[in-house]
Amino acid sequence: MRNAIDVPTAHLRTLDDLPDVGGRRVLVRVDFNVPLDDAGAVTDDTRIRLAIPTLEALRARGARLLLVSHLGRPKGRDPRWSLRPIAAHLAGLLGEDVAFAPGLDDIPDGDLVMLENIRFEPGETTNDPALAARLGALADAYVNDAFGSAHRAHASTEGIVHHVGRSVAGLLFEREVRTLGRLLDDPERPLVAVLGGAKAGDKIGVITRFLEVADAVLLGGGMSYPFFAAAGLRIGDSLCDEAGLEAARQVLARPGTEERLRLPVDLVIADRFSADAELRVADPIDIDDGWEAIDIGPRTRELYARAIADAGTVFWNGPVGAFEIEPFAAGTYAIARAVADTHAVTVVGGGDSGAALVRFGLQDEVTHLSTGGGAALEFLEGRDLPGVVALTDGS
């Protein structure tokens, strides 16, 4: 990973603000919501690895750690969503034992303990004060290193802060806030945002925000198709719902949009969503019924790669095609390759774009790979994130 951007973050409490923790228990909220295969093995441990520096920093100060995370969205205690395999995976990465606590009433007295899925506990997602108080009573201090959950006011991300002696951000959490804050407030120019994904309606806030602060906004993937429809072009069976169409109309009506917004000039289209589909390039954009856009085309790849190469800062969130299927991966690979090769400061917004970097083996070729997902997008939109506010002086 390239060196992180180092700029001050006003008011956010960090590990430097944590008093002596030697021999004391610190509850660390981590984000180990990682994918597992059918056998329960971790298939992408990026989030686990990125949390290790915080764990090592606390251990070096003599802290005894209780790790708390969620996994999936279980309904009650569902063994399919147990954190046991993740505890075992972490033990392998650290080369030491990680004790496992099956519940709040059965926590081993060890130096490194992982609690079972916190969403097995009633009251976690409703930020129940009683659960928050129980969690706070388990530790002398609290460290939140789960920026990906910072947009949720849950018992383990916001409520616990009111029931523990000292609460601070971990190294990864701090880095996320610093990097994303710099992206908005003091980027190297030109700032180029590459925004993909499935639906324009889901990202209208971040599109609008970048149209205000970026020098160019490059759209791709399913979120670009409603813009063509709004402009009166034929898009065949391409993904386009009413919410996306309305979002596109709103964006196109904004003053200054034409100067900054870039749309694909050609698209790869298919007669069906399948690895063995018949493919064509729509250049110009004019798609018959029975065909759907599936990726950006070759001319768009070149234009977008050139804009990325000339940038001072690049933010990328969302694939520009269905990269999980080989025939539809070329566009997303071109973006990932350009982001990896540019000399610009590069911030990748996690989620599917982060998964694409990992698939292409480029995750270490960017300045910052965010674990934030939805939290990162809400932060960039300018929303107050409960998990961040809770770690801010005066909260």
Side-chain angles (χ1 to χ4, degrees), residues 105-180:
D105 295 323
D106 187 11
I107 297 178
D109 187 24
D111 291 333
L112 184 56
V113 179
M114 181 177 289
L115 180 67
E116 180 59 282
N117 194 336
I118 188 60
R119 289 191 179 172
F120 285 1
E121 299 292 338
E124 161 62 4
T125 59
T126 59
N127 201 7
D128 178 55
L131 176 59
R134 288 187 71 191
L135 292 171
L138 295 174
D140 301 292
Y142 169 75
V143 174
N144 191 345
D145 215 27
F147 182 76
S149 298
H151 57 322
R152 308 298 187 197
H154 291 175
S156 68
T157 61
E158 194 278 335
I160 184 176
V161 171
H162 308 289
H163 300 280
V164 71
R166 191 64 174 166
S167 55
V168 303
L171 297 174
L172 177 58
F173 194 110
E174 178 189 0
R175 186 181 183 204
E176 294 272 14
V177 174
R178 288 184 186 277
T179 303
L180 296 175

Side-chain angles (χ1 to χ4, degrees), residues 1 46 354 357-366 368-369:
M1 194 74 69
T46 303
L357 277 181
V358 171
R359 173 177 175 175
F360 301 136
L362 300 173
Q363 66 270 25
D364 294 329
E365 304 301 319
V366 298
H368 180 69
L369 173 56

